[in-house]
Amino acid sequence: MGFSTNTFLFVFLLGTLAVYIPVSLILPRLRVTVLLIASVIFYAWASVSALPVLFLLIIINYLAGIAIDRSKKGLIDVKPVTALGISVFIDVAILIIFKYTKFILGISFMTLSGISYLADIYRGKVKAQINIIRYALYMAFFVKIIEGPIVRYSDVSDQIRKPEVSLERFTEGIRRFSVGLAKKVLLADQLGVVAHDILGTSNNSPALAWLGIISYTLQLYLDFSGYTDMAIGLAKMFGFDFKENFNNPYVSLSLSEFWRRWHISLSRWLRDYIYIPLGGSKSGMTYLNLFVTFLIAGFWHGATWNYCIWGAWNGLILCIERWGRRHVRFTFPVIVRRIVTLFVIVIGWVFFYFEDIGEGFRFLPTLFGYGSTWNSGFTLRWYLSQRIITILFISVIACTPIFDKMGERFRKNRLWDLFYLGLLAVSILIVMSSTFQSFLYIRY
């Protein structure tokens, strides 16, 4: 049940709000319980058979958190590091079993949330949550269970205890949700048709190949950031504040900067729970630690070679950049750095898209005119209709800070709320009249 479906919009969301708002006004102590029940229903709607795995992860990490906390206090005869190691091993084992052998929706994000919670207890950053209802909501909150963002317990521990519901937050939540839904159905889904038509065809011209991979590059960002916008908006409606997960990554001047702007919650998770524990930049094995971290990131996305290559590509370029910052004494112009960085990102997305690495390696030369059909001008003109050109133009703008600055200006004038309502209405009409296209990142 994706956020951009009729079922979610008209049945689940409206039904949940119809219960949650009166409860918030009359019995605010039951807010967490209502949200947990709604989250279980949401997950069961996707897969009833996966519910036992959800409950298993919740119970294991709940008990593990208490065990680590008590071991630190000397209340049980187990070393804290041993309790943490066993718990993380179980989490990873569950992830591998249920993601790579029998795919369970949301298993990746639940597992990362559980591991960060346990590691933070071990490090003394948070205390173990004794109330299992609150902890279960942290793990299973429906607004972030499928595609994230990866919310850390330390960021929402107080909010889970008492969600702050207000008219201002609810209004802001609707605005943010409207923007995310529009990104998904008005831009990403339209670009997806172009991208998959081209990338699914062999013997393209270089121009057509570039149009295909650029369309996919834009689609991937707008689809995933659109989901995040919707998740953040929904969270605000229910009284929660989630941190931002994207910050215009395609304007980055380096791949390092890109990873500070793209899927921020995952980038920080990789840094804090893999890169630094491996030794980070202080172990004398900085390059190896960096490369291994992104190799693991690739494997986390999927147990196929294309994701490992994608992770290795990112790790390799990051190592080269780090070496260059230390040893190269001159700096390229901003425009050159931006173009080169975007080129590196796009090449990475080629392997991200083609699960068959043979197809990926066959597609790459096409971008540079090798083994391609140059005489495809008519086909290119056919794809670049006035509608697609308009969508491409708006999509590029939506990937820049211009889009955010426009949003800030709109929020200062309440008359622009009519614009958000109009955007929501148009997006809903598209949802009602079109075939559902799932979010790209839902399988990771």
Side-chain angles (χ1 to χ4, degrees), residues 66-84:
I66 294 175
I68 293 171
D69 192 50
R70 290 185 176 179
S71 67
K72 290 185 66 178
K73 296 175 181 177
L75 299 178
I76 57 176
D77 190 22
V78 177
K79 292 182 179 180
V81 69
T82 302
L84 175 65

Side-chain angles (χ1 to χ4, degrees), residues 185-202:
V185 301
L186 300 183
L187 299 178
D189 286 354
Q190 312 308 314
L191 291 171
V193 174
V194 176
H196 299 310
D197 276 358
I198 295 174
L199 298 179
T201 304
S202 59

Side-chain angles (χ1 to χ4, degrees), residues 84-103:
L84 175 65
I86 293 173
S87 305
V88 171
F89 176 81
I90 294 173
D91 275 333
V92 173
I94 292 174
L95 173 63
I96 292 174
I97 292 170
F98 290 103
K99 178 170 182 173
Y100 302 128
T101 60
K102 182 181 180 181
F103 181 75

Side-chain angles (χ1 to χ4, degrees), residues 58-309:
I58 290 171
I59 293 170
I60 286 176
N61 285 280
Y62 169 76
L63 295 175
I66 294 175
I68 293 171
D69 192 50
R70 290 185 176 179
S71 67
K72 290 185 66 178
K73 296 175 181 177
L75 299 178
I76 57 176
D77 190 22
V78 177
K79 292 182 179 180
V81 69
T82 302
L84 175 65
I86 293 173
S87 305
V88 171
F89 176 81
I90 294 173
D91 275 333
V92 173
I94 292 174
L95 173 63
I96 292 174
I97 292 170
F98 290 103
K99 178 170 182 173
Y100 302 128
T101 60
K102 182 181 180 181
F103 181 75
I104 297 291
L105 201 62
I107 188 73
S108 296
F109 291 96
M110 286 187 287
T111 303
L112 296 191
S113 294
I115 290 174
S116 67
Y117 167 74
L118 299 179
D120 286 350
I121 293 175
Y122 174 77
R123 294 172 178 175
K125 293 184 176 181
V126 299
K127 295 181 179 179
Q129 174 60 258
I130 304 301
N131 188 311
I132 193 169
I133 301 297
R134 293 174 184 169
Y135 181 72
L137 181 61
Y138 161 69
M139 289 285 285
F141 195 10
F142 72 88
V143 307
K144 59 92 176 175
I145 193 173
I146 304 300
E147 289 189 47
I150 304 168
V151 178
R152 299 194 189 186
Y153 181 75
S154 57
D155 293 330
V156 295
S157 57
D158 292 336
Q159 299 178 57
I160 286 177
R161 182 175 57 85
K162 186 180 180 182
E164 295 293 336
V165 179
S166 68
L167 180 60
E168 182 62 32
R169 280 192 179 193
F170 190 84
T171 303
E172 179 58 28
I174 292 177
R175 294 192 198 108
R176 190 66 181 267
F177 184 86
S178 301
V179 171
L181 185 60
K183 279 184 178 180
K184 166 64 176 171
V185 301
L186 300 183
L187 299 178
D189 286 354
Q190 312 308 314
L191 291 171
V193 174
V194 176
H196 299 310
D197 276 358
I198 295 174
L199 298 179
T201 304
S202 59
N203 296 324
N204 290 311
S205 69
L208 204 58
W210 278 109
L211 176 61
I213 196 60
I214 288 173
S215 296
Y216 176 70
T217 297
L218 294 171
Q219 180 203 8
L220 188 59
Y221 168 71
L222 293 168
D223 188 278
F224 194 13
S225 68
Y227 180 98
T228 298
D229 289 335
M230 296 167 78
I232 291 174
L234 288 168
K236 284 187 178 294
M237 291 184 204
F238 293 103
F240 291 80
D241 286 320
F242 285 176
K243 289 185 176 181
E244 297 295 334
N245 203 32
F246 290 91
N247 181 21
N248 307 124
Y250 289 155
V251 303
S252 302
L253 299 177
S254 67
L255 193 63
S256 301
E257 183 183 351
F258 171 79
W259 277 104
R260 292 194 296 270
R261 293 171 173 266
W262 173 274
H263 202 347
I264 298 170
S265 60
L266 175 62
S267 299
R268 291 176 176 172
W269 196 97
L270 292 170
R271 178 196 65 193
D272 293 344
Y273 303 107
I274 296 181
Y275 178 67
I276 291 177
L278 284 174
S281 58
K282 298 180 179 180
S283 65
M285 302 177 67
T286 303
Y287 299 112
L288 179 61
N289 295 338
L290 195 56
F291 186 81
V292 169
T293 296
F294 276 88
L295 201 58
I296 292 173
F299 182 74
W300 175 79
H301 281 85
T304 53
W305 283 111
N306 68 303
Y307 295 117
C308 293
I309 292 174

